[in-house]
Amino acid sequence: MTNETRPVSRRERLRAQTLQEIEDESFAIIDAEGVQALSIAALARSMAMSAPAVYRYFPSRDALVAHLVTLSYQQLAAAMGQAVEGSRKAPRTRVRLVVTAYRDWALHHRRRYGMLFGERADDLPSEVTTRTPLDQAMALLIDILAAVKGTAPARSTSGDRTLDGQLRLWARTQERPDIAPDVARAAILIWTRIHGIVSLELTGVFDDQTIEAQRLIDLEIDSAMQSLGPTGS
């Protein structure tokens, strides 16, 4: 029995090429004007295609946006993973590298970032809202934070028994059932605080201020990791 790969037909190549063009042109519209400017009609005009031709690839605008959301999650998660791929730096440094990659991607793709967290969850298919490639990036952050803690004699509880149970449940949803509550808590605090600061930065809140967003982020990372072990870990 052979494992020969079936040759890709010309039709399949053309379809893949057109799909790539649809993705590229859709992102161009979003990057320039925001996701609200994206419609099947606008996309078709920009590609010199008919709207029915685009509908052969995506049955609706919602389906197209859901596809772009998934791609954007993949891009963001890939940027975060690449930031520490093969790195032998200390765990605390790797946490900063992952967070920096997150912020850099958001600053370079402002409207895509807004699309990720601006689309209403009930407007997207369940496979987009339940598990996304960003969960892989969260799992990566959890693993690095576990390395930060190492064997340090830090408390493994949040101090709130009910919250500890919720944190353990959340860790299981991230496919990290053995992670202690304090590590899960640190991961969530970093995620929420960095997302908040970056979101404010993107809306221009800090534009006319003397506050540096990166310094705020550094302080939040230090605060979240404080209970996980010595600062030299």
Side-chain angles (χ1 to χ4, degrees):
M1 182 176 180
T2 63
N3 293 321
E4 293 182 2
T5 302
R6 180 180 65 83
V8 178
S9 69
R10 182 173 183 275
R11 172 176 289 185
E12 289 171 328
R13 289 197 305 272
L14 291 174
R15 182 174 177 82
Q17 180 181 341
T18 302
L19 177 59
Q20 183 65 59
E21 291 174 358
I22 288 174
E23 294 169 354
D24 292 344
E25 192 59 38
S26 295
F27 277 133
I29 293 172
I30 292 170
D31 292 341
E33 305 176 64
V35 69
Q36 72 281 352
L38 179 64
S39 67
I40 297 297
L43 176 63
R45 285 195 302 272
S46 67
M47 296 184 64
M49 291 176 65
S50 67
V54 177
Y55 280 117
R56 287 201 290 269
Y57 292 83
F58 295 97
S60 66
R61 177 188 182 276
D62 286 348
L64 172 60
V65 171
H67 178 72
L68 297 173
V69 165
T70 298
L71 288 180
S72 296
Y73 273 131
Q74 290 173 348
Q75 294 166 3
L76 175 54
M80 295 169 70
Q82 289 167 6
V84 292
E85 186 176 3
S87 174
R88 296 184 178 180
K89 296 182 181 296
R92 288 178 183 270
T93 300
R94 280 184 275 144
V95 170
R96 294 184 185 281
L97 290 173
V98 166
V99 170
T100 296
Y102 177 94
R103 177 172 177 254
D104 286 347
W105 190 91
L107 292 178
H108 281 91
H109 303 286
R110 293 169 178 258
R111 290 193 166 101
R112 295 186 203 186
Y113 186 83
M115 175 181 69
L116 290 184
F117 302 104
E119 287 297 299
R120 297 194 327 156
D122 55 1
D123 288 337
L124 299 174
S126 59
E127 63 269 19
V128 174
T129 57
T130 54
R131 295 291 297 174
T132 74
L134 196 56
D135 288 301
Q136 300 171 10
M138 176 57 81
L140 172 64
L141 176 61
I142 293 172
D143 291 342
I144 299 175
L145 289 171
V148 169
K149 179 177 178 180
T151 58
R155 64 180 186 176
S156 61
T157 175
S158 68
D160 181 324
R161 182 174 293 181
T162 299
L163 180 59
D164 285 348
Q166 295 170 351
L167 290 169
R168 290 190 179 95
L169 179 61
W170 177 81
R172 286 198 292 272
T173 68
Q174 301 301 314
E175 301 180 354
R176 295 298 185 273
D178 298 328
I179 292 299
D182 60 340
V183 174
R185 174 179 176 271
I188 291 176
L189 286 178
I190 288 176
W191 157 249
T192 56
R193 292 175 181 178
I194 302 315
H195 173 63
I197 292 173
V198 169
S199 296
L200 289 174
E201 185 178 14
L202 291 178
T203 58
V205 169
F206 302 136
D207 286 355
D208 298 324
Q209 308 291 329
T210 58
I211 298 173
E212 295 179 37
Q214 187 59 57
R215 289 184 181 275
L216 288 176
I217 288 173
D218 290 341
L219 286 174
E220 293 296 348
I221 292 173
D222 289 341
S223 176
M225 291 194 294
Q226 190 172 8
S227 66
L228 297 181
T231 57
S233 295

